[in-house]
């Protein structure tokens, strides 16, 4: 059984500290834009990255470190994506890890590196060299770190949960950012997860992959996929409990905790989507395959027409069915049931009488739920999106100016 830690974050787990500073990457003075998360000992590491063919050199540098399977932490910046800048980008990413490593007393290859912000702009290394030593690591520095990775986010995003293993409290915490350029199969987002559990490396990688598949790969804001996506988990074993493997009695608790942290952070990303006012949750039930359920849920959650429909509080269920059919999964129209916020509006593929005003009222909250029952099998999946608003268009029409 997992428990939510009130006010918890990425440094709630034992042995982790973090800090941040304003290095001048952002235009707003005194806004945190450079942070470090550090484990006081070597940690097992696992990560997933963007599948965009155009990749930030910061991601390239972190991919290389991920092959080692261990790390001490990560240095992250916002305000500059360090992408599409030629060979200099990798040189700068490597230097940033060296600067951070020298500051906190660890080898540069023991630090992952992550960047987020404007594409096509080189990292301002002179500013980074000048200011990185201003970072002070603290056990309660998780919130500072979470704020330092924000770009267009309206709020920082952090969470932590705990469970008991061998009479010891194990903590899993995380911080994430990203509210635009977000689409399934990783999004424009960074997420850093820490735990004081001692986790077997293969099981750690498998658990992260499963968690990402059900969380960050199931969200959508605008259909666009970033060049810088990174999800990193560090397990430092500071709880001093025995190793958790796939066969361990604590395996299910660890996976549940990791999945909860990833899912809640993923939902916070779309809830805070650029210009968003409404969170959309799409559940697909009764699919023949898990992949089919995921694909259908993602297709509906990412449909621009569905997003616009939610923004207008318009119960135009035909758009849901359209997006479902567009997904290409196996279905039978005469078996489809559709629910909007638990109001049954389509039965066996045909509209049934319902009070339109009741559905409009149900769509007026900060969260709208769509449920589609395919009635073909036993597999299900859930995806999350947000409404498409005028503010999104206005904001992104002048992003660089």
């Amino acid at each position: 059984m997992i428990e939510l830690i009130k006010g918890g974050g990425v440094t709630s787990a034992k042995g982790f500290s973090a800090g941040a500073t304003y290095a001048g990457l952002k235009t707003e003075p005194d806004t945190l834009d450079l942070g470090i998360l550090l484990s006081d000992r070597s940690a097992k590491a696992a990560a997933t990255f963007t599948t965009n063919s155009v990749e930030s050199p910061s991601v390239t540098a972190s991919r290389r470190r991920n092959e080692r399977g261990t790390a001490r932490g990560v240095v992250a910046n916002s305000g500059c994506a360090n992408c599409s800048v030629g060979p200099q980008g990798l040189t700068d990413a490597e230097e940033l890890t060296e600067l951070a490593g020298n500051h906190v007393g660890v080898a540069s290859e023991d630090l992952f590196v992550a960047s987020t912000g404007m594409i096509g702009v080189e990292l301002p290394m002179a500013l980074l060299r000048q200011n990185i030593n201003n970072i002070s690591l603290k056990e309660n520095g998780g919130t500072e770190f979470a704020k330092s990775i924000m770009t267009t986010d309206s709020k920082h995003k952090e969470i932590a949960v705990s469970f008991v293993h061998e009479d010891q409290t194990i903590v899993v915490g995380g911080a994430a950012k990203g509210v635009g350029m977000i689409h399934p199969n990783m999004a424009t987002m960074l997420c850093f997860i820490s735990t004081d559990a001692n986790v077997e490396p293969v099981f750690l990688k498998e658990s992260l992959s499963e968690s990402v598949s059900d969380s960050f790969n199931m969200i959508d804001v605008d259909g666009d996929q970033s060049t810088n996506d990174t999800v990193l988990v560090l397990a430092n074993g500071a709880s001093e409990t025995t190793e958790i493997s796939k066969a361990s009695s604590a395996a299910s608790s660890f996976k549940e905790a990791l999945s909860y942290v990833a899912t809640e952070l993923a939902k916070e990303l779309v809830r805070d989507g650029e210009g968003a006012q409404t969170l959309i949750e799409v559940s697909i039930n009764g699919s023949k395959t898990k992949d089919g359920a995921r694909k259908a849920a993602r297709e509906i959650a990412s449909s621009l027409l569905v997003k616009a429909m939610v923004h207008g509080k318009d119960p135009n269920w035909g758009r849901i069915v359209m997006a479902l059919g567009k997904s290409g999964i196996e279905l039978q129209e005469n078996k489809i049931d559709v629910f909007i916020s638990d109001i049954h509006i389509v039965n066996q593929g045909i509209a049934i009488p319902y009070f339109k005003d009741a559905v409009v009222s149900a769509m007026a909250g900060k969260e709208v739920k769509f449920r589609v029952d395919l009635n073909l099998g036993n597999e299900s999946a859930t995806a999350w999106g947000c409404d498409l608003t005028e503010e999104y268009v206005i904001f992104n029409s002048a992003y660089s100016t």
Side-chain angles (χ1 to χ4, degrees):
M1 179 179 177
I2 64 171
E3 293 187 7
L4 184 66
I5 299 175
K6 186 177 181 179
V10 75
T11 56
S12 293
K14 298 183 186 72
F16 286 93
S17 59
T21 190
Y22 172 65
L25 285 81
K26 294 178 179 175
T27 57
E28 303 88 351
D30 301 322
T31 302
L32 299 175
D33 55 18
L34 180 65
I36 297 174
L37 171 67
L38 188 72
S39 168
D40 65 3
R41 66 200 73 190
S42 181
K44 310 287 178 55
T48 62
F49 302 99
T50 181
T51 57
N52 195 314
S53 297
V54 177
E55 176 179 287
S56 167
S58 296
V59 171
T60 304
S62 286
R63 282 189 193 275
R64 295 176 180 177
R65 286 157 171 77
N66 192 42
E67 294 174 359
R68 301 173 68 235
T70 60
R72 286 290 300 277
V74 60
V75 55
N77 74 271
S78 57
C80 176
N82 187 32
C83 183
S84 297
V85 293
Q88 188 63 40
L90 186 57
T91 300
D92 291 344
E94 292 290 355
E95 182 183 353
L96 182 53
T97 63
E98 185 174 354
L99 292 170
N102 290 339
H103 176 53
V104 299
V106 303
S108 62
E109 58 267 25
D110 282 333
L111 292 176
F112 282 73
V113 57
S115 302
T116 181
M118 185 73 69
I119 294 173
V121 180
E122 291 184 9
L123 285 171
M125 295 308 299
L127 290 174
L128 295 175
R129 296 184 196 108
Q130 179 181 346
N131 291 290
I132 197 165
N133 291 334
N134 293 331
I135 296 176
S136 176
L137 298 184
K138 303 177 285 291
E139 290 183 358
N140 63 349
T143 298
E144 281 189 11
F145 180 80
K147 290 180 177 179
S148 75
I149 59 176
M150 292 168 53
T151 49
T152 56
D153 304 64
S154 69
K155 58 184 178 180
H156 68 281
K157 301 161 182 69
E158 58 182 340
I159 191 173
V161 299
S162 67
F163 65 93
V164 176
H165 173 47
E166 296 179 344
D167 296 324
Q168 297 294 318
T169 299
I170 302 293
V171 175
V172 179
K177 65 78 54 180
V179 292
M181 205 184 290
I182 287 182
H183 188 60
N185 293 322
M186 296 290 288
T188 187
M189 43 80 58
L190 303 178
C191 178
F192 307 104
I193 299 173
S194 59
T195 179
D196 45 28
N198 179 12
V199 188
E200 191 272 325
V202 173
F203 180 61
L204 183 66
K205 292 178 181 178
E206 290 177 350
S207 298
L208 179 65
S209 179
E210 290 178 18
S211 295
V212 168
S213 293
D214 288 332
S215 58
F216 297 111
N217 281 354
M218 297 297 289
I219 61 175
D220 177 90
V221 169
D222 50 21
D224 286 318
Q225 185 187 79
S226 172
T227 55
N228 291 58
D229 307 323
T230 299
V231 177
L232 168 67
V233 59
L234 298 172
N236 68 4
S239 62
E240 298 184 353
T241 52
T242 57
E243 185 177 73
I244 299 176
S245 66
K246 196 170 187 176
S248 170
S249 60
S252 60
S253 294
F254 175 73
K255 290 180 69 173
E256 181 184 3
L258 182 62
S259 178
Y260 185 89
V261 167
T263 299
E264 290 305 306
L265 287 174
K267 289 165 66 176
E268 283 302 302
L269 298 188
V270 287
R271 187 177 277 114
D272 193 30
E274 290 169 345
Q277 298 174 0
T278 307
L279 175 72
I280 304 170
E281 180 177 287
V282 180
S283 298
I284 301 293
N285 298 322
S287 174
K288 280 191 174 182
T289 67
K290 186 71 170 180
D291 286 344
R294 285 174 172 164
K295 187 174 182 180
R298 290 195 302 255
E299 196 73 50
I300 295 171
S302 61
S303 165
L304 295 183
L305 286 176
V306 170
K307 290 173 177 289
M309 155 192 160
V310 171
H311 179 57
K313 317 304 178 189
D314 178 16
N316 188 352
W317 61 267
R319 293 180 175 180
I320 300 173
V321 176
M322 172 278 299
L324 173 66
K326 186 162 65 79
S327 70
I329 70 162
E330 183 177 350
L331 56 83
Q332 294 180 32
E333 186 178 350
N334 63 358
K335 289 189 175 183
I336 296 172
D337 289 335
V338 178
F339 299 78
I340 296 180
S341 295
D342 294 324
I343 300 175
H344 197 180
I345 61 174
V346 175
N347 180 50
Q348 296 182 347
I350 299 174
I352 56 178
Y354 62 89
F355 291 105
K356 184 175 181 179
D357 288 347
V359 181
V360 171
S361 177
M363 295 178 69
K366 293 185 179 298
E367 185 170 330
V368 173
K369 295 183 178 181
F370 298 142
R371 190 177 95 225
V372 178
D373 293 342
L374 301 179
N375 297 306
L376 294 177
N378 299 312
E379 297 294 339
S380 61
T382 303
W384 297 271
C386 59
D387 58 338
L388 181 63
T389 68
E390 296 90 339
E391 287 80 6
Y392 176 88
V393 177
I394 294 170
F395 182 87
N396 282 283
S397 68
Y399 185 84
S400 68
T401 56

